[in-house]
């Protein structure tokens, strides 16, 4: 069932409505309905006397901003902005965003009148109008407050002496507002539709009674009649609204605006009508039907988009693109790691040779030590920090320990990884494969590059399998296998670094080669001990 509507300018030109998300903001008719019903409490009573403010209270805090006015006739007006809801005399007008446009505008008004009182306060509030440049939702909310203030400060005004007698504007108070608000949702929707283009403060409202506008009497404004018989023999300058009642129009009577009815009988004996006859029930049903059609069309459109056959060519090209990116990324990783390996070979090649010898002769022990060392890294770091912190002399050393320890650990892991790649490379290059004969397995740097390429090969192959339909699942297996191989190589190498104490204790494994010997790639058999 239709509950919330927002009428956009483009759709209004075609007589259509667009739905707005429930709970986001109050739609236009809801804000107008709340304001209109609450203005029943403040419409001028026709006394001809200006309402005088006898006391006022303004409270502004981070969470709320409120205005309290008491008039000479005993009535009070309270406007509160708190908890994201604007309220008039305790009844919600609509939501606002704390710190939003409407909240800032209301707080600005209260700050400008904080030092005023009496007639000067009344004059300032009566002349206040919200900025037309505000967003639509904020502007509608502030206009509701403006109408409430205008109704509270308005004077009834006396008719000219030669003017014919007119019907007084009959408005009730809390009872009439409660009678309207207590109706079902369909009635409230009809009420909101009937109020379009009308000001409730200028309308004559009667609920639950029969009333007659005599011949020769002119009603300045509109007439709203609920649950009763309304007979019009005179003139009504505005609209006539009859809800759940009956309307009898005498011959020669005049209606300047529309006749808007909901579930009501109309007996027209020949009245002159300046507007149109509007059946609110048909109007609401037409709106609901348009809304249902729109929602149905949106649902069908979404279903068709979800179930539309997707083109395989773009999907395949996406796979090829992902595969090319994966292969390229693996190549970049090989270049970067190869450059770092060359740098390590130049700066500490003989130490790496010690790690290689330890891995070659004690792979299982190196792996176990690497796992244990990995678990001990964080506790050692924290214990070092604690030990240096409690000593005065250790505080300066703490500035070196904190950044240097992670760097040393990373260098040790990478040195062990390079040592593992050399062992893997020598094993690969020693295989009886014809096209591998062109590479010299006795050159340490060549063996390290071959081992690095071997560890990265599953990632490159997995990237290629991504582009192959039906067997793209193989890519996941290759990625997992490559990751595990790199982790095991790094852990085992880290363990060998710890056993050789950074390649110093096991220098006998390397034959005490110099860095120049490392670059000249003299023959060396992995695992050969030098006494």
């Amino acid at each position: 069932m239709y509950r919330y509507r927002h009428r956009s300018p483009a759709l209004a030109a075609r007589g259509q409505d667009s739905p707005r998300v429930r709970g986001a903001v109050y739609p236009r008719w809801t804000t107008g309905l709340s304001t209109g019903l609450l203005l029943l409490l403040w419409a001028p009573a026709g006394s001809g006397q200006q309402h005088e403010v006898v006391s006022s209270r303004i409270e502004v805090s981070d969470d709320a901003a409120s205005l309290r006015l008491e008039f000479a006739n005993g009535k009070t007006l309270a406007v509160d902005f708190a908890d994201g809801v604007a309220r008039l005399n305790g009844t919600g007008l609509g939501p606002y965003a704390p710190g939003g446009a409407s909240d800032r505008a209301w707080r600005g008004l209260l700050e400008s009148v904080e030092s005023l009182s009496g007639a000067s306060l009344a004059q300032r509030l009566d002349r206040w109008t919200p900025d037309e440049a505000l967003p639509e939702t904020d502007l509608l909310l502030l206009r509701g407050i403006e109408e409430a203030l205008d109704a509270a400060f308005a004077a009834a005004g006396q008719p000219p002496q030669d003017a014919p007698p007119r019907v007084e504007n009959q408005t009730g108070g809390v009872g009439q507002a409660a009678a309207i608000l207590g109706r079902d949702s369909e009635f409230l929707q009809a009420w909101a539709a009937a109020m379009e283009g009308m000001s409730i403060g200028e309308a004559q409202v009667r609920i639950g009674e029969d009333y007659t506008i005599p011949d020769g009497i002119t009603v300045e404004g509109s007439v709203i009649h609920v649950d009763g018989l309304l007979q019009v023999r005179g003139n009504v300058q505005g609209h006539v609204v009859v809800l759940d009642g009956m309307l009898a129009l005498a011959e020669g009577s005049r209606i300047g605006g529309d006749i808007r009815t909901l579930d009501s009988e109309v007996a027209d004996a020949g009245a002159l009508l300046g507007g149109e006859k509007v059946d609110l029930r048909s109007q609401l049903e037409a709106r609901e039907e348009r809304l249902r059609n729109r929602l149905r069309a949106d649902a069908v459109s979404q279903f068709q988009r979800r179930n539309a056959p997707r083109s395989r060519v773009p999907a395949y090209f996406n796979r090829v693109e992902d595969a090319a990116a994966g292969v390229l990324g693996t190549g970049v990783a090989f270049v970067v790691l190869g450059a770092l390996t060359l740098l390590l070979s130049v700066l500490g090649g003989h130490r790496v040779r010690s790690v290689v010898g330890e891995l070659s002769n004690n792979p299982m022990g190196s792996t176990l030590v690497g796992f244990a060392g990995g678990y001990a890294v964080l506790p050692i770091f924290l214990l070092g920090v604690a030990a240096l912190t409690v000593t005065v002399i250790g505080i300066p050393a703490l500035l070196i320990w904190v950044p240097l320890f992670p760097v040393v650990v990373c260098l040790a892991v990478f040195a062990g990884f390079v040592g593992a790649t050399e062992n893997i490379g020598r094993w690969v290059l020693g295989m009886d494969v014809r096209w591998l004969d062109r590479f010299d397995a006795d050159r340490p740097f060549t063996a390290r590059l071959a081992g690095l390429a071997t560890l990265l090969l599953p990632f490159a192959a997995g990237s290629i399998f991504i582009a192959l339909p039906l067997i793209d699942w193989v890519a996941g297996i290759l990625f997992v296998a490559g990751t595990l191989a790199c982790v095991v190589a790094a852990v085992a190498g880290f363990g060998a670094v710890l056993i050789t104490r950074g390649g110093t204790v096991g220098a006998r494994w390397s034959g005490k080669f110099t860095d120049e010997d490392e670059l000249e790639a003299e023959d060396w058999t992995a695992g050969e001990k030098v006494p």
Side-chain angles (χ1 to χ4, degrees):
M1 181 174 292
Y2 175 83
R3 288 294 182 269
Y4 293 86
R5 291 191 188 275
H6 172 73
R7 198 172 184 85
S8 66
L11 294 177
R14 303 194 300 266
Q16 297 178 351
D17 294 299
S18 62
R20 174 162 288 195
V21 177
R22 183 189 301 264
V25 295
Y26 287 133
R28 183 193 304 272
W29 70 262
T30 306
T31 304
L33 173 61
S34 302
T35 305
L37 293 178
L38 291 169
L39 287 178
L40 289 171
L41 307 176
W42 282 106
S47 62
Q49 179 183 1
Q50 181 81 20
H51 289 300
E52 180 182 356
V53 177
V54 296
S55 68
S56 61
R57 184 176 66 182
I58 298 175
E59 298 179 354
V60 179
S61 65
D62 294 338
D63 301 326
S66 60
L67 170 67
R68 303 283 193 281
L69 300 177
E70 182 178 353
F71 299 91
N73 60 2
K75 291 186 176 182
T76 60
L77 181 142
V79 181
D80 299 281
F81 273 54
D83 301 326
V85 178
R87 294 179 175 85
L88 175 63
N89 290 343
T91 303
L93 285 175
Y96 72 92
S102 56
D103 188 26
R104 294 195 304 270
W106 176 246
R107 289 175 180 268
L109 172 63
L110 295 186
E111 292 176 359
S112 66
V113 301
E114 185 176 6
S115 60
L116 304 179
S117 62
S120 59
L121 174 63
Q123 184 179 13
R124 177 67 180 86
L125 292 175
D126 193 30
R127 291 186 303 177
W128 172 74
T129 56
D131 188 359
E132 296 292 334
L134 292 173
E136 181 181 6
T137 304
D138 298 303
L139 184 59
L140 288 175
L141 178 62
L142 295 177
R143 279 178 176 172
I145 298 175
E146 177 193 14
E147 291 183 10
L149 292 172
D150 291 345
F153 290 113
Q158 298 294 333
Q161 296 295 327
D162 56 350
R166 65 184 183 91
V167 177
E168 294 292 344
N169 188 351
Q170 300 293 329
T171 59
V174 177
Q176 286 187 340
I180 299 300
L181 291 172
R183 300 298 184 102
D184 59 23
S185 59
E186 290 186 354
F187 182 89
L188 295 179
Q189 294 175 39
W191 175 278
M195 293 303 106
E196 291 183 1
M198 294 175 54
S199 175
I200 189 68
E202 300 175 356
Q204 176 186 144
V205 180
R206 282 185 170 81
I207 300 175
E209 61 176 298
D210 297 338
Y211 183 70
T212 300
I213 300 177
D215 187 13
I217 299 300
T218 299
V219 176
E220 298 178 359
S222 300
V223 176
I224 303 174
H225 206 79
V226 182
D227 290 340
L229 171 62
L230 173 62
Q231 298 185 42
V232 181
R233 298 176 181 174
N235 301 326
V236 177
Q237 294 183 350
H239 305 293
V240 172
V241 178
V242 180
L243 308 176
D244 293 340
M246 180 178 294
L247 174 62
L249 302 174
E251 183 180 0
S253 59
R254 294 176 178 269
I255 307 296
D258 298 337
I259 296 177
R260 303 174 182 179
T261 61
L262 173 71
D263 299 336
S264 302
E265 297 181 8
V266 179
D268 188 357
L272 299 178
L273 179 61
E276 300 177 349
K277 291 184 178 181
V278 179
D279 184 357
L280 297 175
R281 171 67 62 186
S282 301
Q283 188 179 79
L284 291 179
E285 291 176 352
R287 288 182 177 181
E288 290 184 4
E289 183 63 25
R290 287 196 296 269
L291 177 61
R292 283 194 294 267
N293 292 337
R294 183 183 182 86
L295 294 177
R296 188 182 300 111
D298 291 343
V300 171
S301 177
Q302 293 181 3
F303 178 81
Q304 291 176 347
R305 285 198 300 268
R306 290 179 181 178
N307 294 275
R310 298 180 180 180
S311 175
R312 295 185 177 181
V313 174
Y316 177 74
F317 279 115
N318 289 336
R319 287 172 173 266
V320 172
E321 182 180 357
D322 294 339
V327 173
L328 179 61
T330 305
V332 172
F334 177 79
V335 172
V336 173
L337 293 176
L340 294 176
T341 300
L342 176 61
L343 180 63
L344 184 63
S345 300
V346 172
L347 299 179
H350 63 286
R351 295 179 182 269
V352 176
R353 299 296 297 277
S354 298
V355 174
V356 172
E358 186 65 35
L359 281 172
S360 177
N361 288 272
N362 189 19
M364 184 59 67
S366 298
T367 304
L368 294 177
V369 173
F371 273 112
Y375 280 108
V377 166
L378 182 59
I380 292 174
F381 175 74
L382 296 178
L383 288 175
V385 172
L388 295 176
T389 303
V390 297
T391 60
V392 177
I393 194 174
I395 292 179
L398 186 64
L399 302 177
I400 301 176
W401 172 265
V402 172
L404 188 60
F405 184 83
V407 173
V408 171
V409 172
C410 291
L411 287 176
V413 172
F414 183 70
F417 180 77
V418 171
T421 59
E422 181 173 341
N423 278 286
I424 295 173
R426 289 182 180 277
W427 172 71
V428 172
L429 295 178
M431 299 175 68
D432 188 14
V433 179
R434 180 176 301 177
W435 64 273
L436 291 177
D437 293 342
R438 68 187 67 180
F439 300 103
D440 187 1
D442 293 329
R443 294 181 62 87
F445 184 67
T446 302
R448 292 166 190 174
L449 291 181
L452 180 61
T454 302
L455 290 176
L456 295 180
L457 182 61
F459 297 99
S463 300
I464 295 175
F465 272 97
I466 290 178
L468 301 178
L470 301 180
I471 57 173
D472 52 354
W473 53 270
V474 178
I477 298 177
L478 291 175
F479 289 150
V480 172
T483 302
L484 290 177
C486 291
V487 170
V488 172
V491 170
F494 182 57
V497 171
L498 294 178
I499 294 174
T500 61
R501 298 180 187 178
T504 59
V505 173
R508 63 184 185 277
W509 293 110
S510 64
K512 297 183 179 179
F513 274 45
T514 63
D515 294 343
E516 291 76 9
D517 296 331
E518 175 75 14
L519 294 178
E520 292 174 0
E522 295 184 3
D523 293 341
W524 176 81
T525 302
E528 180 182 356
K529 293 186 178 181
V530 179

